[in-house]
Amino acid sequence: LFIMAGPARSGISTSLAAFIERINQTRAAHILVIEDPIEFTFEARLACISQRQLKKDLHTVEQGINFAKRMDVDVMVIGDVKREVPFKAILEYVNGGHFVVLSMQTLGIQNTLEKIVISFPESDRDHICNMVARDLVGVCSQALLFHPVEQRLVAAHEILMMNNTMRGILQKGRINQIEGNIASSGEGSQLFEQSCNKLLRENKIPRETVEGFLAMFRGAKG
């Protein structure tokens, strides 16, 4: 399981499309894309790409999962479905040895993983934490910051790449400890603060914009 996360209008659909196109150009894979509505169409290169729209081609994501099982899909991409995400069905599908790229409208690693876990009854959460720890490859949370002078948007990212340290933390259900241990995570992991500081050093965004975004993000985490 790989999660692309970001609130509405944060460019997640475009990033997902780039993810799909990268696979399309490099792997002879069967990709199933489920979204509502279909925002990008793809010209098959190395991959075979099937696109299904909810409420038109499929009634539920679960139907898409059943279709994926029958059609021997290598990569299933679940975009913005504008409804309750069936985490249980997705985790069970991933646990069967399948690769899923999931879009979620959340901001930050901690908020994203907590949303998955708290969607289950408390009695199931230890089991779910174990499932996520075992099968999660990573999380990429994206935000777009507006440059007021140059009138353009700049992307900032919070990224978690899983390793044994992060798996141990997740297995124990200690999601709130992930940020404090991000330095012990896999290569490429970073917090929004680190991403924003890099943008500042490269003069890609004003300090006031960064400070405003980070204040909003910290407030959103409570």
Side-chain angles (χ1 to χ4, degrees), residues 161 163-166 169 178 180-187 189:
M161 299 304 295
N163 64 4
N164 289 335
T165 301
M166 292 297 112
I169 291 172
I178 286 177
N181 288 276
I182 201 74
S184 302
S185 186
E187 183 179 356
S189 296

Side-chain angles (χ1 to χ4, degrees), residues 2-152:
F2 186 83
I3 301 172
M4 291 286 298
R9 296 181 294 280
S10 62
I12 290 299
S13 295
T14 304
S15 293
L16 274 180
F19 198 110
I20 294 165
E21 184 58 28
R22 176 67 173 174
I23 298 172
N24 187 25
Q25 294 180 12
T26 57
R27 288 178 54 191
H30 183 186
I31 307 169
L32 171 63
V33 185
I34 300 172
E35 55 188 335
D36 178 23
I38 293 173
E39 296 192 50
F40 294 88
T41 56
F42 302 89
E43 180 181 341
R45 298 177 186 270
L46 290 182
C48 170
I49 304 176
S50 303
Q51 294 183 260
R52 298 292 184 270
Q53 181 173 327
L54 282 177
K55 296 185 288 189
K56 181 179 179 182
D57 304 309
L58 300 167
H59 291 296
T60 65
V61 173
E62 288 90 339
Q63 282 186 328
I65 291 173
N66 289 332
F67 173 83
K69 291 175 180 176
R70 293 196 306 270
M71 300 302 294
D72 195 25
V73 167
D74 299 297
V75 181
M76 182 163 67
V77 180
I78 302 174
D80 183 8
V81 296
K82 297 181 177 63
R83 61 178 69 187
E84 188 93 15
V85 178
F87 292 118
K88 184 175 187 292
I90 292 169
L91 290 173
E92 288 175 348
Y93 177 71
V94 171
N95 189 238
H98 303 96
F99 182 39
V100 173
V101 182
L102 174 64
S103 169
M104 290 179 60
Q105 287 199 2
T106 47
L107 186 62
I109 296 165
Q110 181 174 321
N111 291 341
T112 298
L113 296 178
E114 284 179 345
K115 182 173 182 178
I116 294 174
V117 173
I118 65 175
S119 69
F120 290 88
E122 192 168 350
S123 58
D124 294 341
R125 290 176 188 174
D126 287 346
H127 175 60
I128 295 305
C129 284
N130 274 296
M131 290 183 73
V132 173
R134 180 178 59 244
D135 295 325
L136 184 68
V137 176
V139 179
C140 176
S141 184
Q142 178 172 293
L144 294 179
L145 311 186
F146 181 67
H147 196 305
V149 177
E150 299 182 8
Q151 297 287 297
R152 61 186 176 89

Side-chain angles (χ1 to χ4, degrees), residues 157 182-183 189-199 201 214:
H157 297 95
I182 201 74
S189 296
Q190 64 178 15
L191 299 177
F192 274 127
E193 283 86 348
Q194 294 168 296
S195 177
C196 288
N197 285 335
K198 183 180 179 183
L199 293 174
R201 290 195 302 271
L214 291 177

